[in-house]
Amino acid sequence: MAGFPDITPVHAERATQWLSQSNVRPTRQRVTLAALLMGDGRDRHVTAETLFEAASAADGKVSLATVYNTLRAFCDAGLLREIVVDGAKSYFDTDLCDHPHFFWEDSAELTDAPRESLDIRNLPAAPEGTHVVAVDVVLRLRRS
Amino acid sequence: MAGFPDITPVHAERATQWLSQSNVRPTRQRVTLAALLMGDGRDRHVTAETLFEAASAADGKVSLATVYNTLRAFCDAGLLREIVVDGAKSYFDTDLCDHPHFFWEDSAELTDAPRESLDIRNLPAAPEGTHVVAVDVVLRLRRS
DNA sequence: CTAGTTGCAAAGTATTTGCAATTCA
DNA sequence: TGAATTGCAAATACTTTGCAACTAG
């Protein structure tokens, strides 16, 4: 459930660059959140709530509203990908490529599914005047 | 947006049987909603709100809370399939088979995508102790 | 008759927003 | 400095729930 890295100076530095490169102003709050998300370079799935808790535990001083706004800003800047699975929460994924996800119905958790194998052919064509922004593939899991 | 059939006696009759067969008690409200959903045998995608409006227009006398409860009941009974796409609303589909959907980001509408073509191979295996309940494939569309 | 269902209004959950105070470039 | 960002609290959007009144079998 936890799985967020500590915020080391190195992580903060990396986070700052990540933001600057996408023209997102690296404020203190955004650097904190960015460092938690990608400080160690690993892929992560977060909700506003989990990230807020991690930030509060780490250095505090980020309001929940800012977490929401920041996640949205990161998404708009192309730093994150929003994955919508359950009616209630939105998940944000640091891995930008299309890849399948497992959604665990009992715990409402979202995890990566092995992507190597998946092979989707003959994807329906986008209707006239539109293009496909993303292909969400979610495997809903239930306890056997 | 509309696309709901009128509620004819034939539709009501068909709806009643549909419910009875799944051990869902065919109350007046449920028959109304069921007739709107599958009276004419066509596939449909609804949200609580669209179905509520259709019911209100048709014969009235169904509260929004009941629409929510009923959609959930139909789902539990295996008469509908819930499709989760966007953070806000839940969609319900009368077509129970796995098939891909288009989600139109600008209008927040959900429609079927042509299913003939789609060919998914090597779906990741379900982790130990779980099974895959459904595979949701959603193509998010944006205006070009 | 009585267990299941309805409707209302109230509560809940996830998220967004208005706006004054603050902060980064 | 000035435009962008923050934080709070209030607002919003969707959905569920408590409970008394009703209804199908």
Side-chain angles (χ1 to χ4, degrees), chain A residues 77-100:
Chain A
L79 294 170
L80 291 182
R81 170 87 179 265
E82 184 174 8
I83 314 262
V84 181
V85 188
D86 205 28
K89 302 172 206 273
S90 285
Y91 292 79
F92 296 85
D93 189 345
T94 53
D95 183 346
L96 300 173
C97 307
D98 270 336
H99 62 280

Side-chain angles (χ1 to χ4, degrees), chain B:
Chain B
M1 268 285 51
F4 287 97
D6 292 335
I7 302 178
T8 66
V10 176
H11 290 171
E13 173 57 26
R14 201 178 290 163
T16 304
Q17 296 194 340
W18 194 49
L19 297 179
S20 301
Q21 281 169 17
S22 301
N23 296 315
V24 177
R25 198 201 279 187
T27 65
R28 181 178 59 73
Q29 292 85 335
R30 301 218 286 210
V31 171
T32 297
L33 298 178
L36 290 168
L37 285 171
M38 49 62 72
D40 62 358
R42 299 213 286 117
D43 290 327
R44 233 172 290 278
H45 303 90
V46 305
T47 63
E49 202 62 43
T50 59
L51 186 57
F52 173 65
E53 276 161 26
S56 302
D59 92 326
K61 305 294 179 50
V62 186
S63 79
L64 183 55
T66 297
V67 173
Y68 276 105
N69 292 335
T70 300
L71 285 172
R72 201 111 342 270
F74 285 8
C75 253
D76 291 346
L79 295 170
L80 290 181
R81 169 87 177 265
E82 184 174 8
I83 314 264
V84 181
V85 189
D86 204 30
K89 303 172 205 273
S90 285
Y91 293 79
F92 296 86
D93 189 344
T94 52
D95 183 345
L96 300 174
C97 307
D98 270 337
H99 61 281
H101 289 95
F102 286 134
F103 178 67
W104 304 72
E105 291 197 334
D106 55 346
S107 60
E109 260 190 288
L110 189 75
T111 60
D112 280 335
R115 76 186 65 190
E116 299 74 34
S117 50
L118 189 66
D119 175 14
I120 300 186
R121 304 184 191 196
N122 297 316
L123 212 56
E128 274 287 325
T130 68
H131 62 282
V132 176
V133 178
V135 180
D136 293 344
V137 178
V138 177
L139 287 79
R140 302 187 144 240
L141 300 180
R142 194 170 292 167
R143 280 220 176 78
S144 291

Side-chain angles (χ1 to χ4, degrees), chain A residues 35-103:
Chain A
L36 290 168
L37 285 171
M38 49 65 70
D40 62 358
R42 298 214 286 118
D43 290 327
R44 232 172 290 278
H45 303 91
V46 305
T47 62
E49 202 61 45
T50 59
L51 186 58
F52 173 65
E53 275 161 26
S56 302
D59 92 327
K61 304 294 178 48
V62 185
S63 79
L64 182 55
T66 296
V67 173
Y68 275 106
N69 292 334
T70 300
L71 285 172
R72 203 122 322 280
F74 286 7
C75 254
D76 291 345
L79 294 170
L80 291 182
R81 170 87 179 265
E82 184 174 8
I83 314 262
V84 181
V85 188
D86 205 28
K89 302 172 206 273
S90 285
Y91 292 79
F92 296 85
D93 189 345
T94 53
D95 183 346
L96 300 173
C97 307
D98 270 336
H99 62 280
H101 289 95
F102 286 134
F103 178 67

